[in-house]
Structure formats: structure tokens, C-alpha cells
């Protein structure tokens, strides 16, 4: 499937010219291995893909014994894979490199040697357990890979014209008109299926949401197994957070309450568990920023957070058991926009997913003042302008899952923090509209902000 990260990989190859390795970091089953092998086939004369998830004793022996002598190492590696190596035209891939940290540590010397190009892929690669015994090579150029975004989903279903039209409407702030219904239909299907390539492929092939659901449940089972295997010392806490995500997002304010896990739970005891889930790219953490100004991160209140699933399709399968989905015809109701409950959590989750894939860090604004009604407000997301100026740098975003809503909090924020705020947005199911200084956009335009 066509992925945008391919162009980033091309830029790395052209700009690095062998002086850095590429590290692609992302969750399990988002297509890292697939896209790297496609890149290797298309852009190099030969390649070797070292899969450390399936490395046998002979391969590990080559790495253990001969990395210190690269002439011998490359000779044995070429023989093991029966591949001819070409100077500056061979790519060597270390797949799931976190399973063999010594290979990652060797990148410094392999890059300095200069004969070949290197790409590493990994899950959980930033977690201390996988890097504690090695020096992270400065020769790595690191990029994050996310689930397929809405435009990539449209490509997969054979529609390459809709997004350019949507982008033009976004830039001109004009309505999509008769194409709005078509775009919303695609968007609802994207929300149901999600962006995991296996799920998207199943959807494209069968158009059967129940078969897609089984694919997603298999991925969730893999994630749960990873928690048990890799979250050493924190397994119980990580699993407790993971299991609580749907309940937390189903609440009106979406904040994660540790009290839901245990009355005695404290953030300092669970901080590393949230970190584990975020670094494994299973979730997207959104922190409260106490003021909507330039320094969103400087104003970050880490103990008040929202915990979104990194993929909304997975959230649906995580939140609803199979019996509920089949008995209530949940997917049909979602596809038709007729789900009475829980749609708010799915819509806000997919917006978080789209903002994250577009390069935004996730922040929200919450003030529960007991003394001033004017100060009491909740804003779903805050995003910074690409270029920071002296004023008007932060755009507040309110997310609405239906066409019946108020924007009381947004109006309060605009009054109180006017010098700090740039364009204000409401994402809703309806078409584009500009009214009273607020830009109303269809939900699917979140990826364009």
C-alpha cells in the first residue's frame, strides 16, 4: 500500500549519502517491515533484511563474533543470505533491532565504514530495557511511523482525487457541497477500520467489517502479549491502564482517572507505565497545558492527561466485545452516523490520531475553577502554529460528534486569551463554515490543520 513515509525515506537516502542510518520507529503491525522491503527492492541493486525476530543461532554467531572485523562480517552475511553486496548500492536492514541491541550499537561503525546503507526498524526501541547496555548511535536519523492516515486510507480504497479537493476547500474555507456526504462516508469507514495496514487490506478486499474486526482483535492480542513480555516490572500497571482506556474516554471530559484503577493509585507510581505505552506507540498521550501560549510544553501539567488509543479502529474493538458489536449492529450504526452513545469518544480519538500523524504534540486546556464561572472551561486540543511569532500562536480546537452543540468553553477561551490565540476551530460532522470569528470544519479535515 502507498505510504507517505516512502518519500521521507527517499529524502534520507538522497541527503545522507551513507553518512547516517535511518531508524523507523513505530508500533507493531503498522507496516514498517513491508515498506522498508519495498523501498529496498525499488531503490537498491541488492538488499539484506536481517529479521531479529526470527534470527537463528548461525546468524547471531556472525554478529557476535565478527562485527569487529567488517570484511569478514560482510562476507559471512552475504554468504548466509546468498546476496551479492554492491558498494554504495546495497541496503542492509535490521528489522526489530530492539531484540538485538548489539546490532544497533554497531551502527556507528557500520556507517563510518561507508560501504552500504542501513535502515533499522523497531518497536519499543526507546524503552530503557532495550538500550540500557548500549550507547545510542548519533549516526541515526530517526523518523516515526504511524498507522495509515486518512489520505493513505483514501488511496487504499482507490480514491486519489478527494483529498486534493478537500485541501483546496480547507485553504479557501469553502464548502465541499455535494462531495461532503461522500467524504464523511469515507471518514466514518476510516474511523471503523482504522489505519492498521492489515485491517485496511482486509476491508479493501472484503468490505466486511466483521472480518476487519477479527484482524484488529488479533493485533490487540499481540499488544497484550507484548505488555506481558516486555513491560518488565510494570506489567500489571500497564495492563490496568490499557484496559481502562475505553472507560476513561467514554466520560464527558475524557481525562484519565487513576482512581478508576485503585483508590490508592498515584501518578508518580504509574508515570513509567504511561511512558511505556506511549513509547511503544500503542497510545497517544494528551497533557493539560495550564495556559494556551507559546510554551505549551513548559505549561504542561503531567498529572492531568488524556490517554487515546493510537488507532481508533483498535479502540472500537478494544471497547466493545464481539457479542456487543454483532448484537447491536454497532458498525452499521457507526457507518450511518446513527450511534447514540460512545461516538464522542471515537470521534475525539480519531482527531487525536490525525493530529499526531500530522506532526502535532497533543495538549488540551482544562480549568475547573471553583470560584469563577468565566474561568471554568474545557478545550479538547491546542495546537501551535508552524512559525512562532510574538502573538497569536495557539489554535484551540473543539471536537463535536453531532450537529447539536454549544461552544461555550471556546468563547470563554477566546475572550480571556485573545492575544495568545490564532485561528479557532470547531471540528464537526457538517460542512465548512466561518461564523463569528470561528472556523467550522468537517471532522475529516483534522489532518489538514
Amino acid at each position: 500500500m502507498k505510504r507517505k513515509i516512502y518519500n521521507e525515506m527517499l529524502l534520507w537516502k538522497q541527503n545522507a549519502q551513507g553518512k547516517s542510518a535511518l531508524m523507523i520507529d513505530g508500533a507493531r503491525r503498522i507496516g514498517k517491515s513491508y515498506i522498508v522491503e519495498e523501498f529496498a527492492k525499488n531503490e537498491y541493486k541488492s538488499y539484506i533484511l536481517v529479521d531479529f525476530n526470527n534470527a537463528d543461532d548461525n546468524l547471531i554467531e556472525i554478529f557476535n563474533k565478527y562485527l569487529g572485523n567488517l570484511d569478514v562480517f560482510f562476507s559471512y552475511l552475504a554468504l548466509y543470505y546468498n546476496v551479492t553486496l554492491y558498494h554504495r548500492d546495497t541496503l542492509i536492514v535490521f528489522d526489530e533491532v530492539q531484540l538485538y541491541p548489539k546490532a544497533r550499537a554497531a551502527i556507528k561503525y557500520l556507517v563510518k565504514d561507508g560501504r552500504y546503507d542501513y535502515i533499522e526498524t523497531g518497536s519499543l526501541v526507546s524503552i530503557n530495557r532495550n538500550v540500557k547496555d548500549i550507547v545510542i548511535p548519533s549516526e541515526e536519523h530517526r523518523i516515526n511511523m504511524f498507522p495509515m492516515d486518512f489520505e493513505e486510507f483514501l488511496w487504499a480504497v482507490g480514491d486519489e482525487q478527494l483529498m486534493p479537493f478537500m485541501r483546496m476547500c480547507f485553504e479557501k474555507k469553502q464548502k465541499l457541497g455535494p462531495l461532503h456526504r461522500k467524504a464523511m462516508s469515507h471518514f466514518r469507514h476510516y474511523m471503523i477500520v482504522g489505519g492498521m495496514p492489515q485491517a485496511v487490506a482486509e476491508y479493501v478486499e472484503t468490505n466486511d467489517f466483521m472480518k476487519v474486526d477479527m484482524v484488529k482483535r488479533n493485533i490487540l492480542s499481540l499488544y497484550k502479549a507484548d505488555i506481558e513480555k516486555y513491560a518488565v516490572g510494570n506489567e500489571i500497571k500497564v495492563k490496568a491502564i490499557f484496559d481502562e482506556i475505553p472507560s476513561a474516554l467514554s466520560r464527558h471530559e475524557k481525562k484519565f482517572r487513576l482512581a478508576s484503577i485503585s483508590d490508592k493509585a498515584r501518578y508518580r507510581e504509574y508515570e513509567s507505565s504511561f511512558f511505556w505505552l506511549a513509547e511503544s506507540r500503542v497510545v497517544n498521550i494528551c497533557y493539560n497545558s495550564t495556559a494556551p501560549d507559546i510554551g505549551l510544553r513548559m505549561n504542561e501539567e503531567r498529572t492531568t492527561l488524556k490517554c487515546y488509543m493510537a488507532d481508533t479502529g483498535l479502540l472500537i474493538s478494544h471497547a466493545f466485545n464481539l457479542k456487543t458489536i454483532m448484537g447491536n449492529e454497532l458498525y452499521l450504526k457507526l457507518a450511518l452516523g446513527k450511534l447514540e452513545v460512545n461516538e464522542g469518544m471515537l470521534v475525539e480519538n480519531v482527531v487525536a490520531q490525525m493530529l499526531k500523524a500530522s506532526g502535532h504534540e497533543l495538549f488540551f486546556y482544562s480549568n475547573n475553577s471553583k470560584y469563577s464561572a468565566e474561568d471554568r472551561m474545557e478545550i479538547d486540543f491546542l495546537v501551535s502554529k508552524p512559525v512562532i511569532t510574538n502573538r497569536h500562536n495557539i489554535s484551540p480546537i473543539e471536537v463535536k460528534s453531532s450537529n447539536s452543540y454549544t461552544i461555550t468553553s471556546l468563547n470563554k477561551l477566546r475572550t480571556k486569551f485573545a492575544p495568545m490565540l490564532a485561528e479557532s476551530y470547531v471540528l464537526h460532522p457538517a460542512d465548512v463554515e466561518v461564523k463569528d470569528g470561528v472556523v467550522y470544519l468537517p471532522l475529516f479535515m483534522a489532518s489538514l490543520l
Side-chain angles (χ1 to χ4, degrees):
M1 292 186 177
K2 188 176 175 183
R3 302 297 301 270
K4 294 177 181 178
I5 198 172
Y6 195 100
N7 289 332
E8 294 184 62
M9 296 162 71
L10 275 176
L11 285 174
W12 160 77
K13 183 177 188 287
Q14 294 162 4
N15 295 333
Q17 294 293 314
K19 295 180 180 178
S20 70
L22 182 65
M23 163 62 83
I24 300 178
D25 185 14
R28 296 277 292 271
R29 298 302 173 92
I30 60 166
K32 298 186 299 294
S33 303
Y34 171 81
I35 200 68
V36 168
E37 190 157 16
E38 285 296 298
F39 183 76
K41 289 175 184 176
N42 296 337
E43 308 300 335
Y44 291 86
K45 193 171 182 179
S46 72
Y47 72 94
I48 287 175
L49 194 153
V50 181
D51 181 1
F52 286 110
N53 196 42
N54 294 303
D56 61 24
D57 292 340
N58 290 330
L59 181 60
I60 295 301
E61 183 178 355
I62 292 172
F63 277 84
N64 283 340
K65 289 188 175 181
Y66 303 109
L67 268 174
N69 186 334
L70 292 183
D71 290 335
V72 177
F73 172 75
F74 289 130
S75 296
Y76 282 172
L77 203 61
L79 286 169
Y80 181 89
Y81 284 99
N82 192 26
V83 170
T84 302
L85 304 181
Y86 299 93
H87 186 267
R88 301 298 319 127
D89 207 7
T90 290
L91 176 67
I92 298 177
V93 179
F94 293 161
D95 198 23
E96 300 292 356
V97 72
Q98 80 281 354
L99 299 177
Y100 189 74
K102 188 174 180 180
R104 190 177 181 196
I107 284 294
K108 179 179 183 68
Y109 308 102
L110 294 171
V111 168
K112 184 178 180 180
D113 173 74
R115 278 177 255 192
Y116 314 114
D117 282 357
Y118 301 90
I119 293 181
E120 307 162 272
T121 75
S123 307
L124 318 178
V125 291
S126 297
I127 297 173
N128 291 335
R129 181 173 180 265
N130 295 316
V131 298
K132 63 182 181 181
D133 296 323
I134 68 170
V135 176
I136 302 298
S138 59
E139 291 75 12
E140 278 181 357
H141 174 68
R142 191 167 179 176
I143 56 178
N144 294 324
M145 189 172 181
F146 299 96
M148 296 173 72
D149 67 16
F150 184 44
E151 184 170 16
E152 290 171 328
F153 177 82
L154 290 174
W155 293 341
V157 299
D159 193 333
E160 299 202 5
Q161 304 304 316
L162 187 56
M163 184 58 79
F165 177 72
M166 285 165 46
R167 190 172 284 112
M168 181 196 72
C169 292
F170 170 78
E171 291 169 354
K172 294 184 177 181
K173 294 185 175 64
Q174 71 181 36
K175 293 182 181 294
L176 280 78
L179 287 181
H180 174 264
R181 182 183 293 272
K182 177 182 179 181
M184 274 304 297
S185 178
H186 277 312
F187 174 74
R188 290 190 176 280
H189 290 181
Y190 172 65
M191 187 166 63
I192 293 169
V193 174
M196 305 305 282
Q198 284 177 294
V200 175
E202 185 67 35
Y203 170 71
V204 170
E205 184 177 342
T206 68
N207 279 304
D208 188 327
F209 289 137
M210 293 311 302
K211 288 183 178 179
V212 172
D213 187 80
M214 295 310 298
V215 171
K216 294 187 292 177
R217 290 184 189 279
N218 288 337
I219 295 172
L220 287 170
S221 295
L222 178 69
Y223 285 178
K224 291 174 183 177
D226 279 349
I227 291 172
E228 294 178 3
K229 185 175 180 180
Y230 296 114
V232 177
N234 282 331
E235 303 97 320
I236 295 175
K237 291 175 182 175
V238 172
K239 186 177 184 302
I241 293 171
F242 185 74
D243 289 342
E244 180 63 20
I245 291 172
S247 295
L249 293 178
S250 66
R251 301 186 192 105
H252 175 70
E253 75 283 358
K254 310 291 188 295
K255 295 173 190 172
F256 197 100
R257 298 175 184 167
L258 283 174
S260 300
I261 296 175
S262 168
D263 291 338
K264 299 180 180 179
R266 298 293 180 268
Y267 178 76
R268 64 179 180 276
E269 299 166 353
Y270 281 80
E271 184 174 14
S272 60
S273 300
F274 282 111
F275 175 79
W276 191 97
L277 285 166
E279 286 298 287
S280 65
R281 305 292 190 260
V282 172
V283 305
N284 291 323
I285 303 293
C286 183
Y287 291 107
N288 183 35
S289 184
T290 56
D293 60 15
I294 296 174
L296 288 176
R297 184 170 291 280
M298 290 188 295
N299 298 318
E300 181 179 280
E301 184 188 5
R302 296 187 69 85
T303 57
T304 305
L305 57 84
K306 301 177 186 179
C307 187
Y308 300 103
M309 288 286 288
D311 181 79
T312 308
L314 292 183
L315 172 62
I316 294 175
S317 298
H318 187 35
F320 303 99
N321 62 47
L322 193 57
K323 184 178 180 180
T324 300
I325 285 178
M326 295 179 69
N328 292 338
E329 299 179 328
L330 182 137
Y331 282 145
L332 179 61
K333 291 180 180 179
L334 266 176
L336 297 175
K338 295 182 178 180
L339 188 68
E340 293 86 6
V341 295
N342 292 317
E343 188 166 12
M345 77 168 180
L346 304 179
V347 167
E348 191 167 317
N349 196 94
V350 77
V351 168
Q353 178 180 341
M354 295 166 88
L355 291 174
K356 189 72 175 178
S358 298
H360 294 289
E361 291 300 312
L362 299 182
F363 295 95
F364 68 101
Y365 179 79
S366 176
N367 187 330
N368 296 320
S369 175
K370 298 178 181 179
Y371 309 105
S372 170
E374 293 306 309
D375 289 338
R376 197 178 307 129
M377 62 190 95
E378 298 272 344
I379 303 296
D380 296 324
F381 297 102
L382 302 172
V383 297
S384 301
K385 288 196 308 187
V387 179
I388 298 298
T389 56
N390 290 332
R391 302 176 61 177
H392 307 300
N393 291 297
I394 305 300
S395 285
I397 302 170
E398 282 277 73
V399 180
K400 306 297 181 181
S401 60
S402 73
N403 289 319
S404 177
Y405 58 82
T406 61
I407 57 169
T408 305
S409 285
L410 183 60
N411 287 333
K412 288 181 184 179
L413 190 85
R414 293 174 65 215
T415 299
K416 183 170 182 177
F417 297 105
M420 301 179 184
L421 301 183
E423 203 93 77
S424 296
Y425 296 102
V426 173
L427 298 173
H428 65 172
D431 209 338
V432 178
E433 183 180 7
V434 181
K435 182 180 178 183
D436 298 330
V438 176
V439 180
Y440 295 80
L441 299 174
L443 289 161
F444 49 75
M445 285 189 176
S447 60
L448 300 175
L449 293 176

